[in-house]
Amino acid sequence: MTQVAARGARTPDGAGAAQAADAAHAVPDRQAHPALALQTQGLSKRFGDQFAVDSLDLAVPRGAVYGFLGPNGSGKTTTIRMVLGLVTPTSGSRTLLGLPMPDRATEVLHRVGALVEGPAFHPYLSGRANLRRLDAADLLSDARSAPSRVDAALDRVGLLAAAGKKYRAYSLGMRQRLAIAASLLAPRDLLVLDEPTNGLDPQGTREVRSLIGSLASDGTTVFVSSHLLTEVEQICSHLGVMREGRLVAQGSVKEVRGTGAATLTLRTAQPQEAVRVLEGLGVSEVTAHGDLVRGLPGSLEAERIVATLVRAEVGVKGFSVDSPSLEDLFVSLTGEGFDVSR
Amino acid sequence: MSAADVTTPSRRDGVPRPRRALPSTRLLRSELRLIGGRRRNQAGLAVLAVVPVIMAVAVKLSDPTPAGDGPDFFSSITANGLFVPLAALSVEIAMFLPLAMSMLAGDSIAGEANIGTLRYLLTVPVHRTRLLAVKYFSLCLGAIWGVCAVAIPGAVVGVALFGTGPMVTLSGDQIGFASALWRVVLVMLYLSAGLAALGAVGLFISTLTEQPIAAAIALMIFTIVSWIADSVPQLGWLHPWLVVDHWLAFGDLLRNPMAWGNVVQGLLVDGGYAAVFCLAAWARFSAKDITS
């Protein structure tokens, strides 16, 4: 759980990457950890000669709200499909609620609610009829309580009034809500929600966030993927960040935040002097723009830096050492801009 | 962490053991509602049912008055209305009924994959083997459904227009109405078995694609090619292995006494097709990556 892996860029040539992956897969399997609601070990999926997911070691503790972040195309949905047994991994293993997938799928998936890559329902059935069909497919669900459970799930996502409408008449936001309702048909120990706020307006996004919060406070583990940090950062206790099929950071929000380097900002009338003093202290990447000097202090204490500056008769107008915002960290881990990963 | 923790996770985390899974017909019933509730399928059934009505009315309108002294073969056939469903079945078994099976088979797996509901069924979870079994069983019921949609309206209209007189068998003698009705039921079951065998081929094709129309067309092509091959004498060695080859042997059930040889052989071929293609569908589907 405490592992925070900030891995470097991928090996540039494909053969090297494959070798590195094979080496990772050679690590003997550790035992499934019962305290983890979701765990993958060396999970990889190769399409052709490209790794969509590359030796992924996810660890989602029970009771966590785990934000699974990464740009579009970074392998999040493929990972979710493998975890749920829809796609067979090229190598590696995965467990859900301590039970190996897909061998124990029929037992464990009943306790797992899933939303995978957007809603999908029969267009000419009503929302309610669609949920009844999914419930009918579940051998472990009780037929007698089906109508009340279906309506309770619809009510929970605010869709009860439109329950009798044909699915084809639903707006994108209503479709998304119906998919979330489907994941709530039975009491769940784990919810796997792939981009649950897609297509929702700000109000709907807020509702989904508070819904996740209330489910988590009931003890349900929530694994929620998103390509937008802002959608999930307020509700998550843990984060995992994907980039090009690899996990580049994982841990509690505090741990992940701690991996980013703090930056020093100094306002002074003597920037040249300041740069010299700071470099002398061991501050790296010192740059000056006008009266602003920036650098990476590493483990140096702020008090000591200021004292040294003052002793060197560098006037300090303003001084701060800031940990990066989660957003800056996210951008630095996953790259900036609108480009999909590949 | 000890090995015991791994083997008894449900006790460790305090979650009660889930209810035992019991065999249930809920999914099958849901499947039949899905098939029967779909407008396109209802329209298809209506088309199947219209053919015998048209045939019956046409024969009634052209019913010639007996001329001359000799016995009129045609009027002796039309003394019993049950010739209508039999004639309609022999016409529709060539194309219309296989077309109906094609549509249903295309919907079965490829249709669910196409709209994405397949991934949600599998994560409910529905075991892949169970899903295939339910899908194939509903295709078999669909075959019976289609045959009934032809035969029952045909029988009703036929009896209404032509009455319940004695039926002339293909052997030339006559049998009573009750016995004739029993023969019609046997023919319906026999043709349903043939269509169910075709449905297994369709189920397999349906696991190969995410396009229901493509799966339906592929099964239609399979049917047409089978009929063509069946009509080429040079391919005589192949004929016993074609699923369509024995379908028209249902005429043997209208002899007196019934001739079972070809019918039994036809049922064996049907069973062989069903077994081989259901296994192929299972082999394909149980390991398939669901990426739709």
Side-chain angles (χ1 to χ4, degrees), chain A residues 45 81 118 133 137 140, chain B residues 19 112 119-120 130 289-290:
Chain A
K45 181 67 182 181
R81 284 180 183 274
R133 174 168 165 78
L140 293 171
Chain B
R19 284 179 351 113
E112 300 263 16
R119 64 175 183 267
Y120 284 109
R130 177 164 79 103
D289 279 352
I290 308 300

Side-chain angles (χ1 to χ4, degrees), chain A:
Chain A
M1 220 31 25
T2 54
Q3 166 218 8
V4 177
R7 298 196 197 172
R10 289 172 63 85
T11 321
D13 64 315
Q19 275 167 12
D22 287 345
H25 304 155
V27 173
D29 270 2
R30 284 151 283 166
Q31 291 287 318
H33 201 294
L36 296 178
L38 188 164
Q39 184 181 26
T40 72
Q41 290 175 338
L43 195 68
S44 300
K45 181 67 182 181
R46 196 170 52 200
F47 292 113
D49 57 357
Q50 195 172 46
F51 274 96
V53 174
D54 193 353
S55 8
L56 202 64
D57 293 321
L58 284 178
V60 180
R62 286 183 190 247
V65 177
Y66 187 105
F68 191 42
L69 295 168
N72 293 324
S74 57
K76 300 189 299 293
T77 298
T78 302
T79 303
I80 288 174
R81 284 180 183 274
M82 284 193 283
V83 164
L84 295 173
L86 292 172
V87 165
T88 309
T90 307
S91 59
S93 65
R94 65 275 202 218
T95 61
L96 280 178
L97 302 170
L99 300 177
M101 284 290 292
D103 306 348
R104 308 283 290 273
T106 42
E107 287 161 75
V108 75
L109 283 181
H110 175 72
R111 293 152 63 197
V112 177
L115 168 62
V116 189
E117 209 173 15
F121 294 95
H122 290 282
Y124 43 89
L125 293 184
S126 70
R128 182 182 278 127
N130 267 300
L131 294 194
R132 293 242 175 117
R133 174 168 165 78
L134 285 177
D135 194 73
D138 191 347
L139 279 178
L140 293 171
S141 84
D142 181 10
R144 283 161 302 178
S145 64
S148 61
R149 279 183 294 110
V150 164
D151 280 13
L154 287 165
D155 195 27
R156 192 136 196 199
V157 297
L159 214 51
L160 199 50
K165 265 192 169 175
K166 292 259 193 293
Y167 176 72
R168 68 163 86 229
Y170 279 16
S171 69
L172 182 54
M174 291 162 85
R175 292 173 178 202
Q176 192 75 16
R177 284 161 194 260
L178 188 63
I180 295 172
S183 70
L184 302 175
L185 279 175
R188 312 290 194 188
D189 295 332
L190 171 65
L191 282 177
V192 176
L193 303 175
D194 189 11
E195 306 269 0
T197 55
N198 248 5
L200 294 180
D201 52 20
Q203 172 68 16
T205 304
R206 208 157 38 237
E207 286 171 18
V208 166
R209 237 184 262 146
S210 85
L211 178 64
I212 290 174
S214 76
L215 290 165
S217 67
D218 296 344
T220 308
T221 309
V222 183
F223 181 84
V224 52
S225 88
S226 180
H227 63 283
L228 295 172
L229 173 74
T230 47
E231 302 255 293
V232 296
E233 67 171 322
Q234 300 144 344
I235 51 169
C236 287
S237 62
H238 290 71
L239 288 177
V241 182
M242 289 281 282
R243 178 183 184 173
E244 293 176 4
R246 284 172 170 271
L247 196 63
V248 289
Q250 173 172 249
S252 71
V253 170
K254 203 177 151 204
E255 286 164 346
V256 171
R257 197 194 286 271
T259 57
T263 53
L264 168 161
T265 311
L266 168 69
R267 213 147 66 80
T268 174
Q270 301 125 280
Q272 272 74 36
E273 306 282 301
V275 168
R276 193 177 44 77
V277 172
L278 290 175
E279 280 177 342
L281 269 172
V283 177
S284 57
E285 294 181 36
V286 184
T287 55
H289 291 288
D291 65 346
L292 279 182
V293 179
R294 289 201 172 83
L296 303 177
S299 57
L300 286 170
E301 286 160 11
E303 293 89 333
R304 192 172 149 225
I305 299 172
V306 176
T308 312
L309 285 167
V310 171
R311 270 204 300 280
E313 296 186 346
V314 175
V316 176
K317 289 184 187 171
F319 182 88
S320 65
V321 175
D322 301 305
S323 289
S325 74
L326 217 43
E327 187 164 1
D328 291 340
L329 186 65
F330 181 57
V331 168
S332 75
L333 287 171
T334 61
E336 208 158 353
F338 291 104
D339 293 340
V340 296
S341 295
R342 49 178 74 137

